[in-house]
């Protein structure tokens, strides 16, 4: 792999079964199952939070911090939609991600999809990476 990692973002629409999209335990289980299936290592989470507001903005957000990066979803049951973001320095199969969503909600269609190769200019040499990182940041010491 000649880049740091892949980031898959999805918008899933026309979700057949929205019952579990407001269920904290179901979403916690889903996030664990998803990252296990794609071979990632959980270091924190899953954390599930409720988004309140009008129906078009209400739902749940779930995130898990991975040794390889992160995975997050945002559910909008009233709109029958889910947004997902999976970023990893370890390769994973998009088909596995979609299969896990099918297990959670049944049928849907992918209305938005982006697969980005992240960090194509990121150096593999640790010293070069440190130089690149420190040269682009201002460090404030309190």
């Amino acid at each position: 792999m000649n880049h740091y990692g892949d980031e898959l973002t999805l918008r899933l629409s026309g979700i057949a079964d929205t019952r579990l999209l407001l269920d904290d335990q179901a979403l916690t289980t889903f996030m664990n199952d998803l990252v296990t299936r794609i071979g990632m290592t959980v270091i924190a989470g899953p954390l599930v939070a409720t988004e309140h507001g009008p129906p078009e903005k209400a739902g749940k957000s779930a995130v898990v911090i991975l040794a390889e990066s992160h995975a997050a979803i945002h559910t909008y049951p009233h709109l029958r939609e889910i947004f997902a973001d999976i970023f990893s320095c370890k390769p994973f199969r998009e088909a596995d991600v979609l299969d896990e969503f099918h297990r959670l909600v049944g049928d849907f269609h992918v209305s938005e999809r982006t697969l980005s190769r992240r960090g194509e200019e990121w150096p593999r040499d640790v010293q070069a990476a440190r130089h690149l990182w420190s040269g682009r940041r201002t460090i404030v010491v309190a």
Side-chain angles (χ1 to χ4, degrees):
M1 187 162 75
N2 60 355
H3 60 291
Y4 180 80
D6 292 326
E7 183 172 23
L8 175 65
T9 59
L10 299 166
R11 178 180 170 198
L12 309 178
S13 300
I15 292 170
D17 183 358
T18 62
R19 288 175 296 158
L20 298 179
L21 297 186
L22 290 173
D23 184 318
D24 287 16
Q25 186 56 53
L27 294 175
T28 297
T29 300
F30 168 77
M31 295 300 286
N32 280 320
D33 291 349
L34 171 66
V35 299
T36 297
R37 179 155 184 185
I38 62 176
M40 305 300 162
T41 308
V42 175
I43 58 175
L47 173 65
V48 177
T50 301
E51 298 177 30
H52 299 284
E56 66 275 7
K57 294 185 179 180
K60 296 281 185 175
S61 291
V63 65
V64 61
I65 307 302
L66 306 169
E68 299 82 7
S69 196
H70 72 269
I73 65 168
H74 307 283
T75 72
Y76 298 96
H78 291 91
L79 299 176
R80 305 186 84 78
E81 293 196 333
I82 297 173
F83 286 90
D85 179 10
I86 297 134
F87 181 31
S88 177
C89 60
K90 182 179 178 184
F92 61 93
R93 291 175 7 106
E94 182 177 346
D96 290 336
V97 172
L98 293 173
D99 285 348
E100 286 302 314
F101 277 108
H102 281 295
R103 286 183 42 187
L104 178 68
V105 298
D107 290 335
F108 56 81
H109 67 271
V110 178
S111 53
E112 293 178 17
R113 175 199 174 273
T114 305
L115 181 61
S116 303
R117 293 167 51 100
R118 305 297 303 273
E120 291 187 273
E121 296 180 24
W122 190 258
R124 294 289 179 231
D125 176 80
V126 173
Q127 292 304 324
R130 178 179 287 155
H131 178 72
L132 177 67
W133 180 254
S134 64
R136 292 186 180 174
R137 298 180 67 213
T138 302
I139 299 173
V140 178
V141 178

